[in-house]
Amino acid sequence: MPTPAFFEMHPPFPDDIPVLPLPRLSYAKLLSDCSAESQALYKASTEQGFFLLDLSDTPEGPGLLADIETVFGIGRAFFDLDLDEKKKYKANSGNVGYKPMGVMAQADGKRDLTEICAVGQDSILDSSLATIPAVFDDERPFLASLIHRLHPIAALLLSRLASHLEIPYSKLAALHDPAQQSSTVLRFIHNPPQPDPQSRQASLLGHTDSGSITILFAAMGGLQILPPDKPDLPANWRWVRPEPNCAIVNIGDTLVQWTGGILRSSFHRVLYAPGAQASHERYSVGYFLKPAGEASMKRFRDGTVIPKLRIEEEEEEKSMALYDIWHRDKTKGIIQGKNNVKSRGGTVSKMKALPREAVV
């Protein structure tokens, strides 16, 4: 998250609501290849699929956190534009572009209260590829610099996870090479205030992220996670408390798919900002790392950790699409309110109990 000073510019997160404690990992320790921290990363990625990553404990950390605060201002400048101007950048089938409020169907039949502008990494790094809103185009060198610092953070997480999964890191690195076409984005998110308790509703329906890794920055609450062992009932959802100097990181469906369910992608949603924060505009910014569009979504077959395909999974595996198609179909389902799949993965203990004759 941004710095403590940035947090102080917002109303405090309340202390009287149910919060899901997230593991807090040190980026500096992961950089130094600390075995215990790497194990903690793997544990968090297989159990909850969410964790906090402290970015303040490296020499470049304070500068990055300060730049994240600048990015919030850029996002606000875009969302302050007239709706007709924002609609010129309508989101494409890869979910890159602008999505106004009210496009997505919620589970209760209401429409969403979230507007999003997802600016493609490809377009930021190569101005010849696509037109982006002038607000972002004017800041292209700055945004490119930001991506060049966020991508290595995601890459380091992939590297440490690869060692536990017995996957060659070079394989994951090639699938996420910024030089290849992908739908990786900087996603700017805005939710309006909901000061009236009688009319509050979910801002964004429950979902799992389709990509590989999400690195999210926010100074206000609103994000909720459904614990993997709990049914989808209102009382079971837990708030996530943003913490200064930390990003909220979560595992996406792509890594669950590739690892045969070893890693976990947890069901989450955006409700409304809690407590006194509910009367204020809510903004967040995320780096959504996704694989190359031509990446196969078939399960990896490396090592002994990732489970072999079960007999009944063989036919489905044969028809598994490339990422762009797989992502497009999931996005379409979410918009229609038909694909709010619950938490996926986290099957380490279950896989140990599989009989040998159940796999091929």
Side-chain angles (χ1 to χ4, degrees):
M1 296 300 154
T3 63
F6 189 78
F7 269 67
E8 291 173 1
M9 298 167 60
H10 300 79
F13 189 93
D15 294 323
D16 58 350
I17 57 177
V19 172
L20 182 66
L22 296 182
R24 182 170 180 147
L25 305 181
S26 163
Y27 183 51
K29 289 182 179 180
L30 290 171
L31 273 174
S32 67
D33 205 12
C34 171
S35 176
E37 204 72 0
S38 180
Q39 186 61 47
L41 167 65
Y42 185 62
K43 179 179 172 66
S45 300
T46 56
E47 294 183 355
Q48 288 186 182
F50 271 84
F51 55 90
L52 299 174
L53 185 64
D54 189 339
L55 299 171
S56 66
D57 53 359
T58 63
E60 59 275 7
L64 173 60
L65 292 167
D67 284 346
I68 292 297
E69 296 176 10
T70 300
V71 169
F72 272 81
I74 297 171
R76 284 195 296 270
F78 173 80
F79 290 123
D80 285 344
L81 296 174
D82 291 338
L83 182 59
D84 288 342
E85 179 66 22
K86 290 182 285 191
K87 282 185 173 181
K88 293 178 181 178
Y89 305 97
K90 181 180 178 180
N92 61 23
S93 60
N95 220 19
V96 178
Y98 174 69
K99 183 209 81 65
M101 295 183 197
V103 170
M104 292 181 174
Q106 306 273 51
D108 58 5
K110 297 179 181 179
R111 311 306 292 185
D112 72 277
L113 290 177
T114 300
E115 61 174 337
I116 298 171
C117 190
V119 186
Q121 173 177 269
D122 295 350
S123 300
I124 292 173
L125 299 181
D126 185 346
S127 60
S128 69
L129 291 179
T131 301
I132 62 176
V135 168
F136 302 117
D137 192 39
D138 292 343
E139 301 290 346
R140 189 188 297 272
F142 172 75
L143 295 177
S145 170
L146 188 67
I147 285 174
H148 287 313
R149 285 175 288 166
L150 291 174
H151 186 272
I153 294 173
L156 177 71
L157 299 176
L158 290 175
S159 173
R160 300 296 177 255
L161 291 173
S163 65
H164 293 281
L165 294 163
E166 298 181 3
I167 300 170
Y169 170 61
S170 58
K171 183 173 186 174
L172 284 175
L175 289 166
H176 297 92
D177 184 353
Q180 298 187 67
Q181 176 275 325
S182 79
S183 52
T184 294
V185 295
L186 275 178
R187 183 172 293 174
F188 298 81
I189 304 167
H190 169 235
N191 306 109
Q194 295 196 54
D196 182 2
Q198 303 304 315
S199 61
R200 288 175 184 164
Q201 65 166 79
S203 296
L204 188 65
L205 81 169
H207 63 283
T208 54
D209 290 354
S210 64
S212 299
I213 287 178
T214 298
I215 302 175
L216 183 72
F217 299 92
M220 287 174 47
L223 177 64
Q224 289 191 324
I225 300 173
L226 182 68
D229 59 341
K230 300 292 186 181
D232 185 3
L233 299 173
N236 289 334
W237 285 86
R238 294 292 180 265
W239 298 88
V240 173
R241 180 194 294 270
E243 296 288 351
N245 299 328
C246 293
I248 298 172
V249 181
N250 65 281
I251 302 298
D253 293 343
T254 296
L255 293 183
V256 177
Q257 182 68 33
W258 283 341
T259 64
I262 294 295
L263 301 186
R264 182 181 293 283
S265 177
S266 280
F267 198 49
H268 58 283
R269 68 182 183 182
V270 179
L271 195 57
Y272 44 79
Q277 295 182 349
S279 297
H280 295 256
E281 306 281 338
R282 179 183 183 273
Y283 297 93
S284 56
V285 179
Y287 180 66
F288 287 67
L289 178 71
K290 302 175 185 181
E294 295 296 310
S296 170
M297 291 307 298
K298 291 184 177 181
R299 186 182 302 183
F300 291 164
R301 308 221 174 186
D302 307 88
T304 61
V305 176
I306 296 174
K308 297 181 183 298
L309 288 166
R310 303 180 71 178
I311 294 172
E312 60 268 28
E313 294 172 324
E314 277 289 298
E315 200 58 38
E316 180 183 354
E317 179 80 356
K318 291 177 183 177
S319 61
M320 190 58 66
L322 300 179
Y323 178 79
D324 269 355
I325 300 172
W326 186 78
H327 174 242
R328 179 200 65 196
D329 291 345
K330 175 173 180 174
T331 298
K332 182 178 179 180
I334 289 175
I335 290 174
Q336 295 174 346
K338 298 177 181 178
N339 191 8
N340 17 343
V341 93
K342 303 301 186 284
S343 297
R344 300 184 60 210
T347 55
V348 176
S349 59
K350 295 179 182 178
M351 289 302 172
K352 291 179 180 177
L354 280 177
R356 292 181 62 84
E357 58 270 21
V359 298
V360 295

